[in-house]
Amino acid sequence: MRDRLLSAGAVATVALILFLLAGAIPVPGGNAAIVFQTPAFLAAAAAGAALLLAACFLRRPPLRQIAFALAHGGLVLLMAGAFIDWRGEERIDGVRLPVGMGHAIGKLRDAAGRTVDLGFTLEVTDFSVSFYDPVYSLFRPDASAPGGERFVRKIDSRVPATLRQVPGGALDVADLQDQGHWVPERRLADGWILRKQAEIPRWFEAGVRTTCDGVGRSAGLAVNHPVWVNGWQVLLVSYGGEAMTYVELAFKKSPGRRFVVAGIWCVIAGVFWLCLVLPLARKDRHAVL
Amino acid sequence: MPSFDAIAGLLLGTALAGYLAADVWLRFGKNRAGHWAFGLGWCANALTVLVNWLACGHPPFGSMVHVLAAVSLCFLPAYLFLRLSQGLSWLGASFAFTSFVPLLGPLFMERDMFWRRMPALQSPWFVPHVMAYLIAYALATVGFLLALRALRAQRAAPDQALKLIAGVDAVARLAFPFMTFGLLSGALWAETAWGRYWSWDSKETWALIMWLLYALYFHCRRSPALRRFALPVQIAGYAALIVTFLFVNLIPRLGSVLHAYTK
């Protein structure tokens, strides 16, 4: 029975790997990942889940049984959560909200055009962004190049050595600043020129105020720090406008989240237990799992 | 005052020399000298990573130079763990050699010391996720080399092949939990950063292929009917690792959109 299950599991794994390869190899002008929404892929995943579940019920020594069930059952839990989310997740992307205008939203339109009532209102009260010191591009005049100039090298404002490599004498950081702001470009001797590359944000965050069932709450919203309100996860995606006048948010309600998170931790615990703890506790440490 | 780049270059050279000497000495049975050289190489390697960290001000995983220096750092602790817990001291030369190889890259690549970490990477998951993968990649490299040697030895020297396969098992058992943690912590991180555990991005898909192949290796080893496939599966797993680690970032057509943070 055990050998049959192992063989069937190996076949299911190979089938899944073939599907994954089909989805990972780029196709001209197409979305290869669409293969992961086909009934055939779902059937292979379901077969894999059924085999994982069946394997959990084979008899083993008690400690090994728990570790095995965590690793294999956790995968089933994770897949079940992912399936629930695939069928029932609500997600609204690209929601642009003005900053500090007192504009609160409580209803949104999803990708299908339906109006979704969030069950709470949210307004963006403030927003701040800070940038790293910039990198400049050094160009030299070249009549044969497009635009009459050719890129030479990067000049990093944080690296004094590169500032010494510009023609017409060494630059100082202060030479690239005007009233505390980094200049967009600086002309050098013999027609050479320095242009500021797109600035990289160091950090950005928004202050939001939510009102749910008459209860107001203020919170900070940043990348990697979503806000949870009334079962909705609110994510800060981006910002824009000439003076950072709006932020772009995403809203997500995920009914399978608990299963996925529980499954993930079960798999991690089970695999560590199976691969690291049990072999070290065994006399025959060189035996396979 | 010497620049960060010059110091890092000097340390890299020292680490390479240490690892190479360790490999040669351990191969010729000069274990004491080999272990000292391995330790010296590792210390220089650790200082390289520290200099990278000081230069950019963040955990240094921002460029291939950073990552390769950090990968090399994972071999000695893993070897010590296997040696002390399972008595696999004969793996020393393999671990010294595999510590040496990744450091060749940073020697010839442009060392952009002042990497700027963007907000999406400023997460508590950043270091554990990356470090788990680096440990797994380091161990998988040793496993791959042992698997190749075992395949070659299977006909000519079956006893030697059995010993090598035991080494592959031990290394894979240590690598797989870290690979699992890397994969799944990435999903947890993605959920807080993008609101999605999984996006079928090419890097994610290749990482899952790699994980499934390593999982398949254990299942093949466990089943008498499938045991003959175990070593080829181990080698295929490493091929998938190389695609995940290098090709997805280097080949634009395989390019990962969501994991395009590093250069």
Side-chain angles (χ1 to χ4, degrees):
Chain A
M1 181 63 183
R2 179 164 306 196
D3 282 347
R4 276 189 195 166
L5 260 182
L6 270 169
S7 298
V11 170
T13 309
V14 170
L16 282 173
I17 289 170
L18 291 175
F19 273 109
L20 292 169
L21 282 171
I25 294 171
V27 289
N31 174 17
I34 198 83
V35 71
F36 304 126
Q37 294 178 22
T38 57
F41 176 75
L42 293 173
L51 288 167
L52 286 166
L53 212 52
C56 290
F57 292 100
L58 292 176
R59 291 180 71 85
R60 294 177 185 81
L63 280 178
R64 219 181 114 70
Q65 182 78 338
I66 298 170
F68 192 92
L70 279 173
H72 293 72
L75 276 174
V76 177
L77 203 57
L78 194 165
M79 289 163 84
F83 184 77
I84 293 168
D85 269 354
W86 183 58
R87 301 298 298 169
E89 180 188 275
E90 288 183 84
R91 189 180 173 103
I92 304 156
D93 285 304
V95 179
R96 289 183 175 185
L97 274 182
V99 177
M101 308 281 280
H103 179 81
I105 51 154
K107 289 180 181 173
L108 294 169
R109 190 155 290 183
D110 67 10
R114 288 170 305 174
T115 301
V116 177
D117 188 353
L118 297 173
F120 65 96
T121 62
L122 180 144
E123 69 170 294
V124 182
T125 52
D126 59 83
F127 178 74
S128 63
V129 56
S130 62
F131 293 95
Y132 286 106
D133 291 348
V135 175
Y136 282 81
S137 299
L138 178 65
F139 294 90
R140 67 176 167 78
D142 182 348
S144 65
E149 56 190 31
R150 193 173 291 281
F151 172 77
V152 180
R153 74 172 82 89
K154 283 191 311 186
I155 301 290
D156 193 326
S157 61
R158 289 172 64 188
V159 191
T162 63
L163 291 170
R164 288 195 288 272
Q165 292 167 358
V166 297
L171 275 181
D172 188 69
V173 170
D175 297 325
L176 294 171
Q177 291 184 326
D178 181 21
Q179 296 177 354
H181 295 286
W182 296 94
V183 294
E185 70 174 37
R186 184 180 164 84
R187 298 198 170 270
L188 307 167
D190 303 326
W192 289 57
I193 193 164
L194 275 175
R195 283 213 183 85
K196 190 170 74 174
Q197 295 184 357
E199 287 182 291
I200 299 172
R202 184 192 295 269
W203 185 245
F204 56 92
E205 63 184 325
V208 294
R209 179 159 184 80
T210 58
T211 307
C212 184
D213 296 329
V215 180
R217 183 167 74 98
S218 294
L221 183 60
V223 178
N224 288 314
H225 298 276
V227 167
W228 291 88
V229 199
N230 197 31
W232 286 86
Q233 185 184 15
V234 185
L235 299 121
L236 178 60
V237 178
S238 183
Y239 59 89
E242 281 189 14
M244 323 304 180
T245 47
Y246 71 83
V247 294
E248 188 175 315
L249 306 178
F251 292 76
K252 193 190 110 176
K253 199 167 201 172
S254 162
R257 182 176 188 276
R258 285 179 187 173
F259 295 101
V260 175
V261 173
I264 282 175
W265 285 113
C266 285
V267 174
I268 290 173
V271 169
F272 267 85
W273 196 344
L274 271 181
C275 290
L276 281 180
V277 181
L278 285 180
L280 290 182
R282 224 167 32 200
K283 282 185 181 168
D284 179 13
R285 289 172 179 170
H286 301 304
V288 281
L289 295 173
Chain B
M1 185 187 159
S3 67
F4 279 121
D5 187 40
I7 297 169
L10 193 69
L11 288 168
L12 270 176
T14 312
L16 274 165
Y19 288 145
L20 187 61
D23 177 36
V24 173
W25 275 324
L26 289 170
R27 247 171 241 287
F28 286 97
K30 309 267 186 201
N31 289 345
R32 195 177 166 80
H35 286 133
W36 275 105
F38 206 169
L40 172 78
W42 191 85
C43 289
N45 192 170
L47 286 172
T48 312
V49 173
L50 185 68
V51 167
N52 289 342
W53 194 321
L54 291 173
C56 67
H58 323 286
F61 304 127
S63 65
M64 198 49 86
V65 169
H66 284 166
V67 167
L68 290 173
V71 165
S72 280
L73 208 55
C74 301
F75 291 96
L76 181 60
Y79 165 62
L80 289 176
F81 177 82
L82 289 171
R83 185 189 156 94
L84 295 173
S85 66
Q86 296 170 55
L88 296 168
S89 56
W90 60 273
L91 287 174
S94 301
F95 272 85
F97 175 72
T98 44
S99 304
F100 170 79
V101 175
L103 282 189
L104 287 172
L107 209 56
F108 300 106
M109 290 170 173
E110 183 197 353
R111 289 196 290 275
D112 185 3
M113 305 294 291
F114 295 88
W115 168 58
R116 289 150 170 86
R117 185 158 68 139
M118 56 209 306
L121 297 183
Q122 294 172 35
S123 158
W125 286 115
F126 179 58
V127 173
H129 170 68
V130 177
M131 272 315 294
Y133 264 132
L134 295 188
I135 294 168
Y137 287 175
L139 286 159
T141 305
V142 179
F144 165 70
L145 291 178
L146 293 175
L148 281 182
R149 285 172 60 194
L151 265 183
R152 222 175 50 185
Q154 262 176 342
R155 283 187 189 163
D159 288 347
Q160 174 74 0
L162 284 178
K163 182 181 164 188
L164 287 165
I165 291 170
V168 178
D169 280 341
V171 168
R173 268 200 314 256
L174 189 52
F176 193 64
F178 289 101
M179 200 178 278
T180 305
F181 183 81
L183 183 78
L184 297 178
S185 64
L188 291 171
W189 181 5
E191 204 257 344
T192 56
W194 306 320
R196 284 195 172 96
Y197 302 99
W198 200 260
S199 304
W200 298 115
D201 177 66
S202 59
K203 186 129 182 154
E204 293 172 356
T205 309
W206 277 105
L208 184 56
I209 292 171
M210 171 183 76
W211 187 85
L212 284 172
L213 282 165
Y214 278 97
L216 187 59
Y217 168 78
F218 292 117
H219 291 80
C220 288
R221 289 286 294 135
R222 189 98 180 125
S223 156
L226 300 172
R227 200 159 287 163
R228 65 185 188 280
F229 299 116
L231 291 177
V233 166
Q234 171 81 210
I235 290 164
Y238 192 71
L241 184 157
I242 291 295
V243 176
T244 312
F245 182 43
L246 293 177
F247 288 2
V248 168
N249 288 46
L250 295 179
I251 299 175
R253 286 206 56 188
L254 278 179
S256 159
V257 178
L258 294 173
H259 292 79
Y261 297 115
T262 55
K263 285 178 251 179

